[in-house]
Amino acid sequence: MFRYIALRLLTALPIVAFVVVFIFLMLHLAPGDPAALVAGDNATPQQLEAIRARLHLDRPLASQFWLWLVQLSQFDLGQSIFSNQPVAALILKRIEPTLMLAICTMTITVLFAVPLGVLAAWRSGGGVDRFVMGLSVVGFSVPVFVVAYSLVWVFSIKLGWLPVQGYKPLAEGIWECLRGLVLPSITLSLGLSALVARVTRSAMLEILSEDYMRTARAKGAGLMRLLVVHALKNAGVPVMTVVGISFAVLLGGVVVTESIFTIPGIGRLTVDAIQQRDYPIVQGVMLFFSLVLIAVNLLVDLSYALFDPRIRY
């Protein structure tokens, strides 16, 4: 396994190098003068020169890239243009809300969608199967903001059970933290549940038609053991792939949901940075998301052996 991990990490190095180069060139490939975009229309020539010097735009392109690589090697993502705070510190402050939202969303998704997918496969072609697939179509079709505002109207405005917006840190208590994440987690889990349920159903249908499943049924295996131990475990590889990639996307920041519920996560940080043209933050967030996606893909690959014993590294 260690050899496999080392090879996977070596394979990821060219991807990381490409991402680093692309993120760096993104500032220079954008139309217009970056310094003028940051300073605004009423900026004086002196202010433009100061911004160019601060962003090292007054140096040759190769020199700028080398300076950025040196900063990255020291885990320095630069400083925000408007807040003058280190970009790495700003990202670390926003990780907790996004991470908690991602964990709650995936927990609800797995607990809700996987049993529905298993049930739909077991009763394939029946009323339960059609009901689950109908729910999946609804989950795919309804926009996120419609679900969000509908939940807010019912559970916050009419019933008053849950807060409308905001986020409470874990330091203020786990219940207060989770209470503010119920509505955004349900909002995000609706679309993800539709995807996971469909993938689970398709994988289970293929497994249930295998010869060893008929043998286990003939030997008198119970329904729960048949579905969970023999079928679901072997169908776990595609399900785990979808869950892992979805979790990585959530960690990258869910812009619409975080904006609706005023959650100070990575998504809100990215939107604010783009609106303010704070290029160091945009570059830092994109690099962070790329590395997270690569790391999650590696963990998903390593988890395959837990579900399918035939897989060896």
Side-chain angles (χ1 to χ4, degrees):
M1 178 178 289
F2 293 105
R3 181 174 178 272
Y4 174 80
I5 295 176
L7 290 176
R8 288 285 285 126
L9 291 176
L10 289 176
T11 306
L13 288 179
I15 301 175
V16 174
F18 173 78
V19 168
V20 169
V21 174
F22 176 78
I23 292 175
F24 171 77
L25 293 177
M26 179 185 66
L27 177 64
H28 302 274
L29 294 177
D33 184 5
L37 293 175
V38 172
D41 298 332
N42 299 322
T44 62
Q46 292 78 13
Q47 291 174 330
L48 291 176
E49 290 300 323
I51 293 175
R52 290 192 182 96
R54 185 174 179 180
L55 296 177
H56 306 297
L57 297 176
D58 55 344
R59 303 191 180 193
L61 187 63
S63 177
Q64 296 178 43
F65 184 62
W66 173 251
L67 288 174
W68 197 54
L69 289 180
V70 171
Q71 287 182 336
L72 292 181
S73 66
Q74 300 171 353
F75 301 99
D76 181 9
L77 299 177
Q79 283 192 326
S80 169
I81 297 175
F82 293 94
S83 64
N84 291 322
Q85 297 184 41
V87 174
L90 291 174
I91 294 177
L92 287 176
K93 289 180 182 178
R94 303 296 186 99
I95 285 181
E96 180 188 308
T98 300
L99 181 61
M100 289 299 300
L101 178 60
I103 292 175
C104 293
T105 300
M106 294 313 303
T107 301
I108 295 174
T109 299
V110 172
L111 293 178
F112 179 72
V114 173
L116 283 181
V118 172
L119 187 60
W122 177 247
R123 297 298 184 186
S124 176
V128 176
D129 185 18
R130 288 193 290 269
F131 175 73
V132 173
M133 290 302 98
L135 286 180
S136 298
V137 172
V138 173
F140 279 123
S141 304
V142 180
V144 173
F145 66 90
V146 174
V147 178
Y149 287 124
S150 299
L151 292 176
V152 168
W153 184 78
V154 174
F155 293 100
S156 298
I157 298 177
K158 291 297 182 181
L159 299 178
W161 291 353
L162 298 169
V164 177
Q165 294 177 328
Y167 172 78
K168 297 290 185 181
L170 279 173
E172 298 184 14
I174 187 170
W175 168 245
E176 288 298 323
C177 176
L178 295 178
R179 189 168 175 265
L181 292 175
V182 171
L183 294 184
S185 298
I186 294 176
T187 300
L188 291 173
S189 66
L190 183 61
L192 292 179
S193 295
L195 176 61
V196 174
R198 281 182 171 271
V199 172
T200 304
R201 176 184 178 274
S202 299
M204 286 289 295
L205 283 175
E206 182 178 351
I207 297 298
L208 289 174
S209 63
E210 295 289 341
D211 292 338
Y212 67 85
M213 292 299 299
R214 287 191 292 268
T215 303
R217 191 181 300 112
K219 288 182 176 180
L223 180 60
M224 291 301 297
R225 180 175 179 82
L226 193 69
L227 292 179
V228 176
V229 177
H230 294 285
L232 183 58
K233 185 177 180 180
N234 290 308
V237 171
V239 177
M240 187 62 195
T241 302
V242 173
V243 170
I245 295 176
S246 300
F247 186 74
V249 171
L250 291 174
L251 285 180
V254 186
V255 176
V256 176
T257 305
E258 288 185 356
S259 300
I260 292 174
F261 292 97
T262 321
I263 298 176
I266 300 294
R268 284 289 304 279
L269 177 65
T270 306
V271 171
D272 294 341
I274 293 174
Q275 290 177 344
Q276 295 177 341
R277 298 181 178 88
D278 202 329
Y279 288 102
I281 294 181
V282 176
Q283 289 179 322
V285 170
M286 291 185 63
L287 182 62
F288 167 78
F289 174 64
S290 302
L291 296 178
V292 166
L293 188 60
I294 293 172
V296 170
N297 282 330
L298 176 60
L299 293 177
V300 169
D301 287 349
L302 295 178
S303 69
Y304 287 164
L306 298 176
F307 298 95
D308 193 341
R310 295 171 296 181
I311 296 177
R312 291 291 180 266
Y313 299 113

